[in-house]
Amino acid sequence: MELMVMVVWTLWYRRNQIKTRHLDFPTSQVVPQASQTLSDFKLHNISLPSLQGVVGHVRAQAQWSPPPMDCFKVNFDGAIFLELGKAGLGVVIRNWQGNVMASLSEQAPLPISPDIVEAMAAAREISFAQELGIRPFILEGDSDVVIKTFMATEDSLSSFGHIISLAKSTLTTNE
């Protein structure tokens, strides 16, 4: 069942690549690509042992640092509000002195995963910075997987890869 879902998703992804970028890969590669993507997904989503009963488990506090002079730092974060069936997207733009130059908070329909919420927040961050003419800026957020996807040169086949690809394409066309 999982492989079938991944094959359907890969066909959908292939179709979108053909329509939007005129890129194509042979249909003979759909099943191998889907199988590889499913393997990658399973590898990166291994269940961690329960931390129930662990005392003193504390996440290291991150320290914010200002961007270089004449640059901005644009921070994003996403939140899930299950009781409302909504996601929250937040953006804060700071200058090199750490002063808040702009901020944004929006609600969005609740997507299927926290990573999608973070990707939506990151994409909104980029469009917000561009709307305000903020340049140059440094993208910052607490989702390693979203940041790594932004930094990657190849398109991501993750559930939020299309969101990141669209945001990255606006960066290159508006520079």
Side-chain angles (χ1 to χ4, degrees):
M1 179 66 168
E2 293 170 336
L3 183 58
M4 182 183 78
V5 170
M6 196 55 68
V7 166
V8 171
W9 185 90
T10 304
L11 286 169
W12 170 82
Y13 177 79
R14 179 181 177 272
R15 175 200 161 272
N16 286 345
Q17 289 300 303
I18 292 168
K19 284 187 164 261
T20 61
R21 294 184 168 186
H22 307 291
L23 299 176
D24 190 11
F25 59 90
T27 53
S28 62
Q29 291 298 310
V30 169
V31 173
Q33 178 68 41
S35 181
Q36 180 62 46
T37 302
L38 182 58
S39 295
D40 290 347
F41 174 80
K42 287 180 177 181
L43 176 69
H44 291 95
N45 289 284
I46 298 170
S47 297
L48 297 175
S50 173
L51 295 176
Q52 208 168 25
V54 175
V55 178
H57 178 76
V58 179
R59 183 178 170 196
Q61 186 69 21
Q63 180 83 20
W64 187 85
S65 61
M69 188 180 277
D70 298 327
C71 188
F72 296 90
K73 190 170 271 191
V74 187
N75 295 81
F76 69 91
D77 199 9
I80 294 175
F81 301 99
L82 289 175
E83 64 280 358
L84 300 175
K86 297 203 179 270
L89 312 177
V91 177
V92 176
I93 300 175
R94 295 178 187 265
N95 66 8
W96 65 274
Q97 295 173 313
N99 297 324
V100 174
M101 305 306 291
S103 64
L104 169 113
S105 177
E106 290 183 349
Q107 288 185 359
L110 187 63
I112 59 171
S113 82
D115 287 337
I116 293 175
V117 174
E118 291 291 326
M120 289 169 56
R124 185 60 180 111
E125 165 189 55
I126 288 171
S127 65
F128 184 53
Q130 289 180 328
E131 289 166 15
L132 297 175
I134 301 292
R135 282 257 200 252
F137 64 86
I138 297 169
L139 176 93
E140 186 173 85
D142 60 1
S143 174
D144 288 339
V145 68
V146 170
I147 296 292
K148 286 178 183 174
T149 302
F150 261 106
M151 300 304 291
T153 54
E154 69 280 348
D155 286 337
S156 171
L157 297 176
S158 67
S159 60
F160 58 88
H162 62 291
I163 298 169
I164 303 298
S165 292
L166 181 60
K168 284 169 71 172
S169 73
T170 65
L171 279 175
T172 56
T173 58
N174 291 328
E175 289 189 294

